[in-house]
Amino acid sequence: MPGWDLAVVGAGPAGAATALGALRAAPGLRVALLDRADFPRDKACGDGVAPHVLDRLVEVGVTGLLDDRVPVARLRLDRGGRGVDRTMARPSYVVPRRILDARLVEAARAAGAVLVRHRVRDLAPGADGVVLDGAHRAAVVVGADGARSVVRRRLGWPTARPAFALRGYAPVSAGREHAQVIAFGTARQPAYAWSFDRGDGLANVGYGEVLGRGPAPTRSELLDRLEELLPGAGRDGTDWKGHHLPLSGARWRPPTGRVLLVGDAAGLVNPLTGEGIYYAVATGLAAGRAAARAITADRPGTAGHRYRRAARAHLLPHLRHTALAARLSRSGPVLDAGLRASARDGRVFDDLVELGLARGRITPTVVRGLAGALLSAAPVHPVEESRACAS
């Protein structure tokens, strides 16, 4: 049975970041990345990569990861044909996960991780380590295996509140070039459609909504709602894939001990935007560092406590703010007020972008902007007018 200091289940951004964090802290560790797929491989996702993700990767020596990709500076938010269109303070990227994940895996391998093709189905924590499927033993295990995490289920950890989305790739439609476009639903909340220009003639397009108590919407229903909110965005689309999004809440207490959870497996997806890559990388780095320090101190059982302390200090205030903002945004008038305030004041727009993409908070600027917009009787600015203001 191969023995590892650290075994990471799942080699997506959360898993690769875990390996990078561990090997940066302790370069001599034996680190395995266990994944059921060969890389490169596709993954259903909106493909948006915030600049904050790249900031965190620089901490572990990963630079220039997306230098050959086209940055996207414009963000358009729309509801009922009205909203805001502005240039973000820092551009984002739209990178298919087939490309992003493969590059992160290669960075982890270059740092010393070993990629192992293996589908984990069971784990058995013990006093002297954790055994995976009777085939691999590790001092510490990190579950980075996504929304349907086997590791989380084996720990008996509860499932986060889910949303469901359908993603495809289609030619960029007229008027949506060089931008990330989000159109919020008017009939149901929270729900939105998106079109994110990749910079190569194609856009990542899709539609998602929080699941209720009834059955999940069908593919046909999701495509109809995409067409309703963003007419023509899905025309000639291919590679349609559905995926669950475990939305984060105000309370987050990751398990302690030798088995840790990161990214989607930990129930960390922004409830406002569906963004999860920043959370994946941030928690992966924290888990890797915590595991490395626990192992090198010859106290691997403390890895979970170390990780919980570091990750909660970094994310918990933000998670509380996103949970509150998500509850407020279920109200159509409040959502409209946020769009109106963002169109009027670039500072409100910038603060809301931070809240939706990384670890921002509801700032006093946002509160004043929302209050003013709610009290104002002025109509919501048309997108065309707000674009002129932004320029």
Side-chain angles (χ1 to χ4, degrees):
M1 184 184 302
W4 308 96
D5 296 311
L6 171 63
V8 185
V9 182
T18 300
L20 287 163
L23 290 164
R24 188 73 169 186
L29 290 184
R30 298 165 298 164
V31 177
L33 276 172
L34 307 175
D35 201 288
R36 62 183 181 179
D38 289 323
F39 287 79
R41 57 98 176 93
D42 189 19
K43 187 77 172 178
C45 181
D47 293 346
V49 182
H52 313 73
V53 172
L54 304 180
D55 295 342
R56 299 306 310 271
L57 291 172
V58 168
E59 298 173 12
V60 288
V62 179
T63 60
L65 189 74
L66 302 180
D67 283 354
D68 61 337
R69 306 298 300 184
V70 179
V72 181
R74 280 179 52 217
L75 175 64
R76 173 177 169 179
L77 305 174
D78 177 275
R79 186 170 186 265
R82 296 174 180 270
V84 57
D85 187 337
R86 284 188 177 273
T87 299
M88 293 181 285
R90 299 173 66 194
S92 294
Y93 295 83
V94 182
V95 186
R97 293 286 296 276
R98 178 181 294 275
I99 295 172
L100 177 69
D101 292 15
R103 292 183 179 183
L104 287 173
V105 165
E106 284 306 307
R109 292 179 67 187
V114 178
L115 180 63
V116 180
R117 175 80 180 272
H118 181 88
R119 181 171 186 169
V120 173
R121 292 181 171 84
D122 195 17
L123 74 160
D128 58 348
V130 183
V131 176
L132 301 170
D133 298 326
H136 296 271
R137 180 187 296 276
V140 176
V141 166
V142 173
D145 47 341
R148 297 181 176 275
S149 171
V150 170
V151 176
R152 185 185 65 230
R153 291 201 304 269
R154 292 296 180 267
L155 288 177
W157 209 246
T159 302
R161 182 170 63 102
F164 189 80
L166 181 71
R167 177 232 72 184
Y169 293 109
V172 181
S173 49
R176 299 175 185 131
E177 303 92 340
H178 316 299
Q180 291 181 284
V181 180
I182 294 176
F184 296 98
T186 54
R188 54 178 59 83
Q189 287 295 342
Y192 72 79
W194 72 86
S195 173
F196 296 165
D197 188 351
R198 297 183 354 181
D200 58 0
L202 295 177
N204 180 308
V205 298
Y207 170 87
E209 63 181 53
V210 173
L211 295 178
R213 294 183 178 180
T218 65
R219 170 173 162 168
S220 177
E221 290 171 334
L222 293 169
L223 288 171
D224 287 345
R225 292 168 192 173
L226 167 61
E227 177 64 21
E228 176 187 348
L229 294 178
L230 288 177
R235 187 176 298 125
D236 299 323
T238 60
D239 295 326
W240 296 104
K241 287 190 175 183
H243 59 291
H244 285 83
L245 301 168
L247 303 180
S248 61
R251 299 172 182 173
W252 181 59
R253 292 181 64 83
T256 59
R258 293 175 179 265
V259 183
L260 288 56
L261 295 173
V262 294
D264 283 15
L268 291 175
V269 172
N270 192 302
L272 285 173
T273 61
E275 201 284 337
I277 294 180
Y278 178 79
Y279 293 163
V281 170
T283 55
L285 293 177
R289 290 165 175 158
R293 289 164 183 158
I295 292 166
T296 55
D298 200 24
R299 299 181 63 194
T302 66
H305 286 286
R306 295 169 186 260
Y307 167 60
R308 176 187 282 189
R309 184 168 58 248
R312 279 168 57 90
H314 182 74
L315 282 179
L316 192 57
H318 162 78
L319 295 177
R320 290 171 175 162
H321 282 237
T322 55
L324 173 59
R327 286 197 297 272
L328 292 173
S329 69
R330 295 175 193 168
S331 163
V334 173
L335 184 54
D336 287 341
L339 298 179
R340 186 160 54 242
S342 295
R344 292 173 175 174
D345 189 340
R347 296 170 301 172
V348 175
F349 176 83
D350 290 340
D351 288 351
L352 288 176
V353 168
E354 289 291 307
L355 189 67
L357 294 185
R359 54 186 292 247
R361 305 186 189 185
I362 300 174
T363 63
T365 298
V366 168
V367 173
R368 288 193 296 268
L370 282 174
L374 285 168
L375 293 173
S376 172
V380 179
H381 294 291
V383 168
E384 291 76 10
E385 293 179 16
S386 61
R387 184 185 300 125
C389 294
S391 62

